[in-house]
Amino acid sequence: MSPIISVKNLSKTYGSGFKALNNINLDINRGEIFALLGPNGAGKTTLISIICGIANPSTGNVAIDGHDIISDYRAARSMIGLVPQELHTDAFESVWATVSFSRGLFGKPKNPAHIEKVLKDLSLWDKKDNKIVTLSGGMKRRVMIAKALSHEPKILFLDEPTAGVDVELRKGMWEVVRALQESGVTIILTTHYIEEAEEMADRIGVINKGEIILVEDKATLMQKLGSKQLTLHLQNKVDAIPSTLAAYNLELSADGREVTYNYDTKGDRTGITSLLSDLRNAGIRISDLDTKQSSLEDIFVSLVRAP
Ligand SMILES: Nc1ncnc2c1ncn2[C@@H]1O[C@H](COP(=O)(O)OP(=O)(O)O)[C@@H](O)[C@H]1O
Ligand SMILES: [Mg+2]
């Protein structure tokens, strides 16, 4: 199936002369949750702003379901809901009025049943007549999502949806996002929280200094770049690793009671079976063992550090 969003050779140089995006090529698949992961200043908001038609690209183009974001702006924009990084709402309007008004901005006919469903899905129904100024921060954020969904977009952008949001609310947000995906909406979220990408995304794109460093299925990414660590707890202290075990590059802890072995999960053989038998032959007995998989965080840090 053709991608729902296609970004081609996109660059952005701000008026200041600063190049915020450098030749971005990116396809977003229909129905996926895509996480754009990158440190502050990487260019995430700039990229989203261009896709949503808020900022102009310097070069390159973007098509939303075949509609060019510049020459076919209205059709492209009507497919998109955007929850911006900065929250801004009309404080003295009611929830119902704000969300209904947003729908009108897209030239869509009134549809109170849809607005009602959106507010109920976001647990805002009992607040529909409240002025926004009276709501908690978490509720305000949900109002922003409701506004973005008011015109029934097929694509939802969430720019740093859980920055500064407490754990409880974050979970609630993720449930909302999953439910949206099940209803057929494609979701792109930006985050500098690795756990968020790891938890939520089907695919992850890493952006750094205006360039997409990689795009990968989450599972593949974890497997491809992930290495595992096996820690063996020894029954008796050893002073040094026997030379017969040199090939394993084992690390011995300072107290001589733990041995660590790094292995690659993508290899055909992990070497664990032979390691265990060679240890036994060397007279080293094991009392316990555990393994640790390197997290997306380790992967991310190593990628962003790479020259
Ligand atoms: N309007 C602007 N004019 C000049 N530079 C900008 C402007 N907006 C953002 N930038 C710069 O572009 C870079 C990317 O910003 P942004 O897209 O907001 O990153 P992110 O969302 O990943 O934190 C940053 O260095 C930022 O300072
Ligand atoms: Mg940003």
Side-chain angles (χ1 to χ4, degrees):
M1 222 184 328
S2 61
I4 195 160
I5 299 177
S6 178
V7 178
K8 295 245 186 304
N9 307 322
L10 185 74
S11 294
K12 173 71 178 178
T13 304
Y14 279 111
S16 60
F18 180 77
K19 190 160 196 178
L21 295 177
N22 185 14
N23 198 36
I24 304 282
N25 285 284
L26 179 65
D27 283 347
I28 303 294
N29 300 326
R30 256 160 242 275
E32 73 176 339
I33 298 180
F34 185 90
L36 188 61
L37 175 67
N40 281 322
K44 303 181 293 295
T45 298
T46 301
L47 179 56
I48 282 195
S49 301
I50 292 172
I51 297 175
C52 296
I54 293 166
N56 288 320
S58 301
T59 59
N61 48 60
V62 180
I64 310 290
D65 210 11
H67 302 287
D68 185 86
I69 49 149
I70 293 173
S71 62
D72 201 2
Y73 171 74
R74 283 182 68 86
R77 185 64 181 89
S78 74
M79 294 193 66
I80 295 175
L82 168 65
V83 182
Q85 186 168 2
E86 307 297 335
L87 301 184
H88 43 75
T89 44
D90 326 278
F92 298 102
E93 288 278 11
S94 71
V95 170
W96 177 271
T98 299
V99 176
S100 305
F101 179 73
S102 269
R103 180 180 174 89
L105 289 179
F106 288 90
K108 295 244 170 165
K110 283 196 165 61
N111 185 347
H114 174 68
I115 305 294
E116 179 173 340
K117 182 181 184 307
V118 166
L119 293 181
K120 283 183 172 165
D121 287 350
L122 291 162
S123 308
L124 285 169
W125 184 242
D126 60 331
K127 303 286 178 199
K128 70 177 164 39
D129 298 319
N130 289 42
K131 287 189 169 59
I132 287 166
V133 69
T134 67
L135 303 179
S136 70
M139 286 176 193
K140 282 184 189 139
R141 221 168 252 274
R142 276 182 277 146
V143 171
M144 297 298 290
I145 299 178
K147 281 178 72 174
L149 294 173
S150 64
H151 62 288
E152 299 163 75
K154 296 301 290 171
I155 304 165
L156 182 67
F157 283 91
L158 296 156
D159 196 0
E160 309 259 355
T162 60
V165 165
D166 64 53
V167 175
E168 197 58 28
L169 197 61
R170 205 177 278 193
K171 278 192 195 147
M173 189 93 70
W174 290 345
E175 279 164 23
V176 168
V177 167
R178 288 220 174 82
L180 280 170
Q181 181 186 33
E182 273 160 33
S183 76
V185 176
T186 302
I187 290 144
I188 297 103
L189 60 92
T190 73
T191 184
H192 59 272
Y193 294 117
I194 293 113
E195 321 85 72
E196 192 152 274
E198 197 163 347
E199 168 101 22
M200 288 301 298
D202 300 312
R203 281 198 312 151
I204 295 173
V206 178
I207 183 169
N208 189 41
K209 296 186 179 136
E211 295 189 10
I212 300 266
I213 308 173
L214 99 168
V215 177
E216 198 78 79
D217 280 345
K218 179 176 65 185
T220 316
L221 178 62
M222 307 288 290
Q223 199 189 10
K224 197 161 143 186
L225 295 163
S227 68
K228 272 194 161 188
Q229 223 177 42
L230 172 68
T231 302
L232 303 166
H233 305 269
L234 310 182
Q235 277 181 11
N236 302 302
K237 180 178 178 304
V238 300
D239 295 326
I241 305 279
S243 57
T244 52
L245 298 170
Y248 295 102
N249 291 319
L250 302 174
E251 283 165 42
L252 183 64
S253 65
D255 67 3
R257 291 189 163 272
E258 272 178 27
V259 166
T260 311
Y261 172 56
N262 289 296
Y263 62 98
D264 197 341
T265 48
K266 74 183 170 193
D268 295 342
R269 288 150 195 255
T270 59
I272 292 172
T273 318
S274 59
L275 171 64
L276 292 178
S277 81
D278 287 348
L279 279 166
R280 194 172 51 240
N281 293 340
I284 296 176
R285 306 223 171 275
I286 295 154
S287 61
D288 199 2
L289 53 82
D290 53 67
T291 62
K292 180 173 158 276
Q293 174 122 36
S294 69
S295 69
L296 192 54
E297 172 142 24
D298 304 329
I299 295 168
F300 180 50
V301 167
S302 65
L303 276 171
V304 170
R305 274 204 196 129

